[in-house]
């Protein structure tokens, strides 16, 4: 794990941070536009699971009923871009965390390992996407168990992302404080 962590820190440059942010912004913008115009604008506006913190089978049933089978198929096609988005946001957060940690000379083992938070969030995002896609494909025969597991994974994803964002800001403040103190 240490070799992988060291590799992440070597890749953490301002240029790579900006490229990851650009990848994230472009993929979410295209996905948002296509979802709005090809799915919600045609089949109806629904609250889909990956935008919620958690959800129940009733909420998913309602959303899937709004879109219907054709809308869900279109949503699944557009949602393929969500294979790119987690790479963009997780690398943005990894590089942001690593740069702040390096800038503030905060390189203890525990602090260095914080770069894994966004990667675990991206893994949870992929698991969530697979579980939700399995339910979209099996609609109208939804599984309460799979939706419950997916909801837990979604909550875990959002918790890790909130924590990673908070750590960027907290460590940035600490890094500024350490720099001014020197």
């Amino acid at each position: 794990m240490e070799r992988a962590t060291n590799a992440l820190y070597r890749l953490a440059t301002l240029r790579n941070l900006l490229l990851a942010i650009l990848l994230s912004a472009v993929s979410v913008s295209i996905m948002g536009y296509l979802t709005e115009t090809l799915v919600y604008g045609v089949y109806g506006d629904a609250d889909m699971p990956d935008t919620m913190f958690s959800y129940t089978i009733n909420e998913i049933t309602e959303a899937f009923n709004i879109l219907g089978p054709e809308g869900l198929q279109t949503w699944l096609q557009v949602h393929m871009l969500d294979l790119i988005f987690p790479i963009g946001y997780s690398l943005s957060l990894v590089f942001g965390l690593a740069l702040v940690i390096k800038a503030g000379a905060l390189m203890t083992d525990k602090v260095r390992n914080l770069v894994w938070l966004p990667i675990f969030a991206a893994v949870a995002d992929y698991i969530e996407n697979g579980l939700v896609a399995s339910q979209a494909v099996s609609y109208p025969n939804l599984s309460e168990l799979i939706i419950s597991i997916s909801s837990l994974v979604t909550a875990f994803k959002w918790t890790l992302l909130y924590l990673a964002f908070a750590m960027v800001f907290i460590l940035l403040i600490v890094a500024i404080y350490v720099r001014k103190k020197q």
Side-chain angles (χ1 to χ4, degrees), residues 28-182:
V28 79
S29 296
I30 293 170
M31 188 170 50
Y33 174 76
L34 293 176
T35 301
E36 190 62 41
T37 58
L38 297 178
V39 181
Y40 300 151
V42 176
Y43 300 100
D45 199 357
D47 291 329
M48 294 308 281
D50 56 350
T51 61
M52 298 184 244
F53 187 81
S54 67
Y55 38 85
T56 65
I57 190 164
N58 292 335
E59 292 169 316
I60 298 307
T61 301
E62 180 183 331
F64 285 12
N65 285 342
I66 288 169
L67 297 181
E70 287 180 32
L72 282 172
Q73 289 306 310
T74 305
W75 177 80
L76 282 170
Q77 291 170 353
V78 169
H79 211 253
M80 291 296 285
L81 285 167
D82 206 13
L83 295 174
I84 298 169
F85 182 55
I87 294 168
Y89 75 66
S90 65
L91 288 178
S92 297
L93 284 167
V94 165
F95 297 154
L97 279 166
L99 288 170
V100 168
I101 290 167
K102 288 192 298 188
L106 307 168
M107 296 293 272
T108 66
D109 285 343
K110 288 181 183 177
V111 174
R112 278 176 45 86
N113 287 329
L114 288 174
V115 297
W116 289 98
L117 286 174
I119 292 172
F120 294 145
V123 169
D125 199 341
Y126 286 120
I127 294 169
E128 166 204 61
N129 289 343
L131 292 170
V132 171
S134 76
Q135 294 307 286
V137 168
S138 68
Y139 174 81
N141 302 316
L142 303 178
S143 166
E144 189 167 357
L145 176 62
I146 291 175
I147 291 173
S148 295
I149 293 169
S150 178
S151 179
L152 287 172
V153 172
T154 301
F156 183 66
K157 170 193 80 172
W158 286 115
T159 301
L160 289 176
L161 285 174
Y162 293 144
L163 188 56
F165 273 110
M167 294 313 305
V168 168
F169 290 112
I170 290 167
L171 291 173
L172 182 59
I173 291 167
V174 171
I176 291 169
Y177 176 76
V178 167
R179 284 277 179 120
K180 284 193 175 204
K181 203 169 182 182
Q182 292 175 345

